[in-house]
């Protein structure tokens, strides 16, 4: 029988509250230690980890390079389980202490939040974002759909299904329902066209694929069977199509130091992918 919880009048932080990230989660912001960020030779300096939000950016950077743009970059690993996101250098770049974060040495501009980074790079290189107002707005619609929807998948479903110290029926059912509703939204959209925002591959696809493509390809939370992902045939077709792109394969590897598949903890050159045949 589930024990009912009565919230206290004033919430108090208990640092040892269980869960996969209990040792680093806290209710205050700011740096916990002094740690400058490393800087490489390229104009773009990325500080990230190969979570879905991190993968979005490395896919775009690799797609830009594949398309011939001068988008060379250094990608430095930020190990969030070790609390590297609370180092002073990273907090200066992103006061919210979340990956990914980007520094453009050419412009001196810092960029944080994955959607903001995608938009910044797409505008900087004038690629993967239409100039026609209607088409551009449709890409932006789906980019912001992902930014607003995925927290229910990750912080909601993923947390309670995969990371919480105990399994509770109510939150798992609540967020599984919402995750499947979102997959259905995406499936109906992709039934009408090859890419999420229309006939052209865009930053909307790059934002959505690491989350929803990851789910239907069985790469997130070991939840493919539970969510019956095979029923979303159009999402699966799209996910497999993007997964076959060489730039997507490269982007997926960058800043990956976990899981059963090999990865590239740091990336400083296209030559770094030679051992992967990419």
């Amino acid at each position: 029988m589930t024990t009912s919880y009565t919230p206290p009048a004033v919430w108090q932080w208990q640092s040892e509250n269980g869960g996969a990230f209990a040792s680093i989660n806290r209710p205050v912001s700011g740096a916990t230690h002094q740690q400058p960020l490393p800087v490489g030779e390229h104009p773009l300096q990325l500080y990230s980890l190969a979570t879905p939000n991190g993968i979005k950016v490395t896919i775009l950077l690799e797609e830009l390079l594949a398309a011939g743009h001068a988008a060379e970059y250094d990608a430095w690993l930020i190990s969030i389980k070790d609390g590297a996101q609370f180092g002073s250098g990273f907090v200066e770049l992103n006061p919210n202490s979340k990956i990914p974060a980007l520094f453009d040495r050419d412009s001196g501009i810092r960029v944080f939040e994955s959607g903001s980074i995608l938009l910044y790079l797409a505008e900087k290189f004038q690629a993967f974002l239409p100039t026609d107002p209607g088409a551009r707005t449709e890409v932006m619609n789906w980019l912001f759909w992902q930014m607003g929807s995925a927290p229910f998948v990750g912080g909601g479903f993923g947390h309670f299904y995969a990371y919480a110290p105990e399994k509770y029926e109510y939150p798992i059912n609540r967020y599984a329902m919402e995750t499947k509703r979102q997959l259905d939204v995406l499936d109906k959209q992709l039934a009408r066209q090859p890419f999420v925002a229309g006939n052209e591959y865009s930053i909307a696809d790059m934002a959505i694929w690491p989350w929803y493509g990851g789910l239907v390809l069985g790469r997130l939370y070991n939840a493919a069977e539970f969510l019956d992902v095979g029923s979303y045939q159009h999402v699966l077709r799209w996910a497999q199509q993007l997964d076959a792109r060489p730039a997507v394969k490269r982007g997926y590897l960058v800043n990956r130091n976990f899981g059963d598949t090999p990865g590239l903890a740091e990336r400083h050159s296209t030559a770094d992918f030679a051992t992967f045949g990419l």
Side-chain angles (χ1 to χ4, degrees), residues 31-54:
T32 61
H33 59 283
Q34 292 296 311
Q35 183 63 55
L37 290 174
V39 178
E41 65 179 31
H42 298 304
L44 298 171
Q45 300 293 303
L46 178 69
Y47 303 91
S48 191
L49 184 70
T51 66
N53 286 335

Side-chain angles (χ1 to χ4, degrees), residues 7-221:
V10 179
W11 181 84
Q12 298 291 324
W13 178 38
Q14 297 179 14
S15 60
E16 298 301 323
N17 62 354
F21 299 97
S23 64
I24 59 167
N25 288 337
R26 57 200 181 103
V28 294
S29 63
T32 61
H33 59 283
Q34 292 296 311
Q35 183 63 55
L37 290 174
V39 178
E41 65 179 31
H42 298 304
L44 298 171
Q45 300 293 303
L46 178 69
Y47 303 91
S48 191
L49 184 70
T51 66
N53 286 335
I55 293 169
K56 300 173 194 177
V57 177
T58 49
I59 286 176
L60 174 54
L61 286 165
E62 292 298 329
E63 290 284 11
L64 287 167
L65 289 168
H69 296 280
E72 266 296 353
Y73 69 104
D74 295 285
W76 303 94
L77 181 73
I78 299 295
S79 179
I80 61 174
K81 283 195 172 183
D82 297 327
Q85 70 274 34
F86 300 117
S88 56
F90 191 83
V91 172
E92 185 177 351
L93 195 59
N94 181 1
N96 196 40
S97 293
K98 301 290 184 181
I99 63 94
L102 178 78
F103 185 70
D104 185 342
R105 298 173 68 198
D106 284 345
S107 64
I109 292 174
R110 72 173 185 182
V111 198
F112 59 89
E113 290 295 326
S114 57
S116 181
I117 297 172
L118 293 181
L119 183 58
Y120 177 83
L121 292 172
E123 291 183 333
K124 178 182 177 74
F125 294 103
Q126 298 183 17
F128 303 110
L129 181 63
T131 56
D132 172 78
R136 176 187 170 89
T137 299
E138 186 67 1
V139 169
M140 300 297 284
N141 289 341
W142 287 100
L143 174 62
F144 282 96
W145 175 84
Q146 185 278 312
M147 297 296 292
S149 296
F152 292 99
V153 176
F157 174 74
H159 175 77
F160 287 105
Y161 185 79
Y163 300 134
E166 296 182 54
K167 306 292 187 191
Y168 295 106
E169 182 178 5
Y170 174 78
I172 290 174
N173 283 345
R174 168 68 180 87
Y175 290 113
M177 177 178 66
E178 174 60 14
T179 298
K180 288 181 69 66
R181 187 194 69 81
Q182 293 177 19
L183 284 167
D184 190 55
V185 168
L186 198 57
D187 199 60
K188 289 172 178 172
Q189 179 73 0
L190 288 164
R192 298 193 292 266
Q193 55 203 29
F195 298 105
V196 174
N199 293 323
E200 300 295 329
Y201 181 47
S202 74
I203 57 172
D205 299 284
M206 299 176 206
I208 293 168
W209 182 84
W211 284 102
Y212 301 89
L215 277 175
V216 300
L217 293 171
R219 298 174 186 171
L220 284 183
Y221 313 128

